[in-house]
Amino acid sequence: MNNNNKSLIDKLEAEKKIRHEEWITLLSTYTNEDRTYAAQKARAVADSIYGKSIFIRGIVEFSNVCKNNCYYCGIRAGNTCIERYQLSRDEIMDCCKAGYEYGFRTFVLQSGEDLSYSCEDICDIVSDIKKLYPDCAVTLSIGEKSREEYAAYKAAGADRYLLRHETADEEHYKKLHPDEMSWANRMRCLRDLKELGFQTGCGIMVGSPYQTVECIAEDMEFMGDFKPEMIGIGPFLPHKDTPFRDMPKGSYELTLFLLSLSRLMLPRVLLPATTALGTINPRGREEGVLAGANVIMPNLSPTEVRKNYMLYDNKICTGDTSAACRGCIEARMERIGYRVEVTRGDYLC
Ligand code: 5AD
Ligand code: FES
């Protein structure tokens, strides 16, 4: 056991922050024992707040059309090798109906940045869902919009919004995105979302190309200050039809460690064991939960379109039905002593 790292983990838990140089030390010298130590503490913190309950969210990937060209992402506009699809309002409602029957009480509507759904279209879909299922939360994950649009979504009843910041380092952001995209606008979006009262999620890919320990330290410091209600952390996985096709995938172990450190820094945070974590390792979602995660987001999209929402290669569940994923998650959680909870699963203030 590295005693210095152990005391840094203790300090993070007690004070909810550590200094920049301390982050650098911890992230560049951690051992497997340090990870185990952090995971045990993180799981104890999560258990003390959320008990043995794991929240599930049904993700409806309603369009893979995207105007952007992020270098890492399989549904980037420049990828001509995929078949594009857009679900209609009725198709989205059908996914939610099935999801409700499976016990989902949060629906996550996710898409590329697809301008063919107007602000009004999105608001109509959100308010339809809220009208039919008043006991459910709606999360949007549809990218960068104006403050006015975010306000309209909120007024229509949306509860939460996911928008990973991707990196807190502006120079690093430029290496992951073309010039048309700006880190400053990303940050503006996150501030607006929080001010408008959304439960707001940010997050990163672990091991994204050109990411350094310095970048991750900045990410953790940013999240410690921003205090998101949700954090999405998964490993970077290359996609064969993107500029980053030959880049190495991120570290599974570092992803688990960062989940634990996030839990210690922000004890109440809603922290998913992500699909990317389940893709890089078949036990990823279980080990993610055991490292401090408390949310799983199975797919509710129609099976026919799933293969076209490939953000990275080999994404799991693309051949499965919603019913299969629901059952699969329940069984996986029970095997490690946790249970799936049928509630909205809100952030506990
Ligand atoms: N590997 C891992 N995660 C990815 N994402 C996009 N492309 C990849 C990839 N190749 C993540 C981004 C985005 C979220 C929806 O999916 O962080 O914000
Ligand atoms: Fe989809 Fe296991 S969660 S098959």
Side-chain angles (χ1 to χ4, degrees):
M1 174 67 70
N2 178 327
N3 280 319
N4 186 40
N5 285 346
K6 185 172 169 289
S7 46
L8 291 178
I9 292 165
D10 290 342
K11 181 175 172 189
L12 180 66
E13 182 183 23
E15 299 177 19
K16 310 294 173 234
K17 61 189 323 180
I18 55 177
R19 288 181 301 114
H20 186 74
E21 311 78 68
E22 293 175 326
W23 275 117
I24 301 285
T25 303
L26 185 58
L27 295 171
S28 38
T29 67
Y30 71 93
T31 62
N32 283 336
E33 274 178 276
D34 296 330
R35 281 204 301 118
T36 305
Y37 183 73
Q40 282 166 352
K41 291 205 142 207
R43 198 53 254 175
V45 168
D47 282 2
S48 73
I49 297 163
Y50 293 105
K52 294 284 176 187
S53 297
I54 300 300
F55 301 137
I56 49 168
R57 324 295 194 196
I59 308 198
V60 182
E61 299 154 336
F62 67 91
S63 161
N64 68 349
V65 172
C66 191
K67 69 174 174 60
N68 292 336
N69 258 311
C70 307
Y71 300 141
Y72 45 85
C73 183
I75 65 168
R76 64 201 302 272
N79 181 6
T80 52
C81 302
I82 53 168
E83 200 182 310
R84 302 285 170 174
Y85 71 88
Q86 297 172 306
L87 299 188
S88 66
R89 188 161 151 178
D90 285 349
E91 289 170 315
I92 296 171
M93 294 309 290
D94 286 346
C95 294
C96 296
K97 181 169 186 287
Y100 192 86
E101 285 160 16
Y102 299 135
F104 289 99
R105 295 295 177 268
T106 291
F107 301 115
V108 181
L109 303 183
Q110 188 176 79
S111 68
E113 290 203 8
D114 181 351
L115 297 179
S116 47
Y117 296 82
S118 67
C119 181
E120 207 185 333
D121 292 336
I122 298 293
C123 290
D124 286 347
I125 295 165
V126 170
S127 59
D128 277 2
I129 299 175
K130 296 292 289 195
K131 235 177 275 153
L132 264 174
Y133 309 109
D135 53 336
C136 291
V138 172
T139 304
L140 292 174
S141 177
I142 58 176
E144 296 181 17
K145 306 282 175 180
S146 66
R147 185 182 176 103
E148 292 67 36
E149 283 171 284
Y150 289 148
Y153 305 153
K154 191 85 193 26
D159 303 275
R160 311 191 186 121
Y161 204 103
L162 302 176
L163 182 71
R164 292 196 184 169
H165 64 290
E166 314 295 358
T167 173
D169 182 304
E170 185 163 14
E171 290 310 308
H172 182 218
Y173 190 92
K174 289 186 190 149
K175 297 181 179 154
L176 301 177
H177 304 94
D179 288 346
E180 303 81 74
M181 293 180 70
S182 104
W183 179 83
N185 193 51
R186 195 77 161 190
M187 291 294 169
R188 188 275 304 160
C189 289
L190 283 168
R191 278 195 306 274
D192 281 347
L193 289 163
K194 208 150 209 254
E195 282 170 20
L196 289 164
F198 284 97
Q199 292 177 42
T200 304
C202 60
I204 61 165
M205 293 176 286
V206 178
S208 60
Y210 314 108
Q211 184 183 61
T212 60
V213 165
E214 182 72 32
C215 296
I216 303 176
E218 287 174 44
D219 288 320
M220 296 306 286
E221 292 168 305
F222 163 71
M223 295 194 285
D225 290 339
F226 183 68
K227 300 190 172 44
E229 283 76 22
M230 305 172 285
I231 295 181
I233 298 182
F236 163 74
L237 296 166
H239 184 291
K240 63 180 178 19
D241 301 312
T242 62
F244 287 166
R245 61 179 65 83
D246 295 323
M247 295 293 189
K249 64 184 183 205
S251 157
Y252 175 59
E253 290 76 18
L254 179 55
T255 307
L256 292 173
F257 190 40
L258 291 173
L259 287 174
S260 301
L261 299 176
S262 300
R263 171 66 63 206
L264 294 175
M265 182 170 75
L266 296 164
R268 292 170 183 273
V269 76
L270 297 165
L271 193 63
T274 57
T275 306
L277 191 65
T279 299
I280 198 172
N281 186 302
R283 276 192 39 90
R285 286 168 299 175
E286 291 88 327
E287 291 188 327
V289 165
L290 294 172
N294 70 327
V295 173
I296 299 204
M297 303 169 70
N299 204 314
L300 263 187
S301 310
T303 312
E304 314 82 78
V305 304
R306 290 185 183 198
K307 62 176 184 314
N308 297 320
Y309 205 89
M310 285 280 185
L311 306 184
Y312 41 80
D313 290 334
N314 306 314
K315 186 174 163 213
I316 52 171
C317 299
T318 52
D320 296 298
T321 60
S322 302
C325 289
R326 173 63 175 84
C328 170
I329 294 301
E330 176 120 47
R332 283 173 189 269
M333 292 302 108
E334 281 176 3
R335 282 200 291 271
I336 58 167
Y338 286 81
R339 60 172 181 275
V340 162
E341 196 177 295
V342 179
T343 61
R344 284 172 46 121
D346 282 299
Y347 182 84
L348 293 176
C349 288

